[in-house]
Amino acid sequence: METLLIIVAIFVIFFIMKGIRVVKQAETMVIERLGKYHRTLTSGINIIMPIFDQPRKMEWRYTHSGMDGKTYIRRVTIIRIDLREAVYDFPKQNVITRDNVVTEINALIYFQIIDPKRVVYEIANLPDAIEKLTQTTLRSVIGEMDLDQTLSSRDTINHKLRKILDEASDKWGVKVNRVELQDINPPHEIRNAMEKQMRAERDRRAYVLEAEGLKAAKILEAEGVKSAEVTKAEGFKLSKILVAEGDAEAKIKIAQAEAEAITLITKSISASGGNPSNYLIALKYIDALKEMVSGKDNKVVYLPYEASGVLSSLGGIKNMFEEIKK
């Protein structure tokens, strides 16, 4: 009897131990009862019926990069499903662009399981399925683009890949959050040709910039010369105008002074009973004689016969001034 009780106690303890399932945070388990889906366990302590309830096993694949830079794959059988966002680094693959250039591309896929039941029952091996879907989608997207577009449109490719993968994997209970292209490696000869093309383009831009700089310098120099000539001409013009205005004002002042002098002399001579005309004519003769005898060259001066009368009138002028002074 005691042996039977011990056997029953051991069976109960074993039954309890098998019936208690502790699920960690951000993990879950799919439970089948007699081979049929029963329920999905949540985080914490869960009670199941041993023997009748069993967790569903899944084939899973993990990838990791070795010290030699190669990507290694490890396949395991799991019963716990990780609900955190996962990232898979798929090996490089060859794709052909629209202009028939073979290019090596590898990508990173960030996805998260949102429905464990569909992950278990809708797809046999989720990582393999996502990898194959990514490869075919990547070939399709890159095949619609030229090499130059492929190299310069990473964001566009990432967006297209994420949208297509997310729609295709929705029935598997998976959400594709992000797709990132890591490396795009064209063939060596294509890279050399691209480098030569970029070098030629940089040289062309340098020559164009240099030519534009020289052109701008010549234009500025010509505009500077033009501005200098215009300024010089305007200065010369203004100088001539000022000189002419100065000469005109001087002549006006001289004429006004002569007019005032003649007026005063005329009044004085008229007041003394003299003839102002003889005085003025005598002054003009004196001025003319000064101009005739002035100069460095030797000159012979001939006075007209009538000049003797003018000279005789000078004595009268002298006497007139003496009388005025008295």
Side-chain angles (χ1 to χ4, degrees), residues 46-65:
N46 297 269
I47 306 298
I48 64 173
M49 295 290 292
I51 302 174
F52 300 101
D53 294 344
Q54 294 292 332
R56 176 63 182 262
K57 295 180 180 180
M58 293 178 55
E59 294 294 329
W60 204 261
R61 188 190 72 173
Y62 294 95
T63 60
H64 66 279
S65 299

Side-chain angles (χ1 to χ4, degrees), residues 7-240:
I7 293 174
V8 171
I10 293 174
F11 180 77
V12 171
I13 294 172
F14 175 78
F15 190 84
I16 294 174
M17 291 179 61
K18 286 293 185 181
I20 296 176
R21 293 286 180 172
V22 177
V23 181
K24 296 180 180 180
Q25 184 69 31
E27 288 186 352
T28 189
M29 296 174 65
V30 174
I31 302 300
E32 294 179 339
R33 175 167 291 180
L34 299 178
K36 185 179 179 180
Y37 173 77
H38 176 58
R39 66 191 179 101
T40 302
L41 302 184
T42 58
S43 301
I45 298 177
N46 297 269
I47 306 298
I48 64 173
M49 295 290 292
I51 302 174
F52 300 101
D53 294 344
Q54 294 292 332
R56 176 63 182 262
K57 295 180 180 180
M58 293 178 55
E59 294 294 329
W60 204 261
R61 188 190 72 173
Y62 294 95
T63 60
H64 66 279
S65 299
M67 298 297 293
D68 54 358
K70 296 181 180 180
T71 301
Y72 294 92
I73 299 174
R74 181 168 58 93
R75 297 181 181 274
V76 296
T77 301
I78 63 172
I79 60 173
R80 297 175 183 269
I81 300 174
D82 196 336
L83 300 179
R84 294 174 297 178
E85 186 176 35
V87 56
Y88 279 90
D89 183 5
F90 299 115
K92 293 181 180 179
Q93 60 175 323
N94 293 328
V95 295
I96 301 176
T97 62
R98 186 171 60 183
D99 49 354
N100 298 322
V101 178
V102 179
T103 306
E104 280 189 348
I105 298 179
N106 67 325
L108 291 175
I109 308 297
Y110 295 84
F111 67 92
Q112 188 173 11
I113 295 173
I114 57 176
D115 190 344
K117 180 181 177 181
R118 283 191 288 171
V119 169
V120 172
Y121 295 107
E122 295 292 338
I123 190 70
N125 191 314
L126 181 62
D128 284 343
I130 291 180
E131 178 183 358
K132 299 304 179 185
L133 180 61
T134 302
Q135 289 176 348
T136 55
T137 305
L138 186 60
R139 290 191 183 102
S140 177
V141 172
I142 298 299
E144 298 175 354
M145 306 174 69
D146 295 332
L147 179 61
D148 292 339
Q149 290 178 315
T150 303
L151 295 173
S152 60
S153 304
R154 288 182 180 240
D155 291 340
T156 302
I157 298 173
N158 294 338
H159 178 73
K160 288 184 178 180
L161 285 174
R162 192 205 64 78
K163 183 178 180 181
I164 296 173
L165 293 174
D166 188 41
E167 292 176 355
S169 62
D170 181 65
K171 64 172 296 186
W172 302 337
V174 174
K175 174 68 175 177
V176 177
N177 296 324
R178 192 163 67 254
V179 179
E180 296 291 341
L181 296 182
Q182 279 189 295
D183 297 318
I184 301 177
N185 297 321
H188 184 68
E189 58 274 9
I190 298 296
R191 291 200 298 268
N192 290 338
M194 293 173 62
E195 289 177 0
K196 292 180 180 178
Q197 181 180 0
M198 289 187 292
R199 191 179 302 113
E201 180 65 19
R202 287 195 295 269
D203 292 340
R204 185 188 68 82
R205 291 178 182 176
Y207 292 144
V208 170
L209 291 175
E210 184 179 1
E212 290 179 351
L214 292 175
K215 177 183 177 182
K218 292 293 184 181
I219 291 174
L220 292 175
E221 183 180 359
E223 290 179 351
V225 173
K226 176 183 176 182
S227 300
E229 293 294 333
V230 170
T231 304
K232 182 179 178 180
E234 290 179 352
F236 184 75
K237 174 183 176 182
L238 182 61
S239 175
K240 289 292 186 181

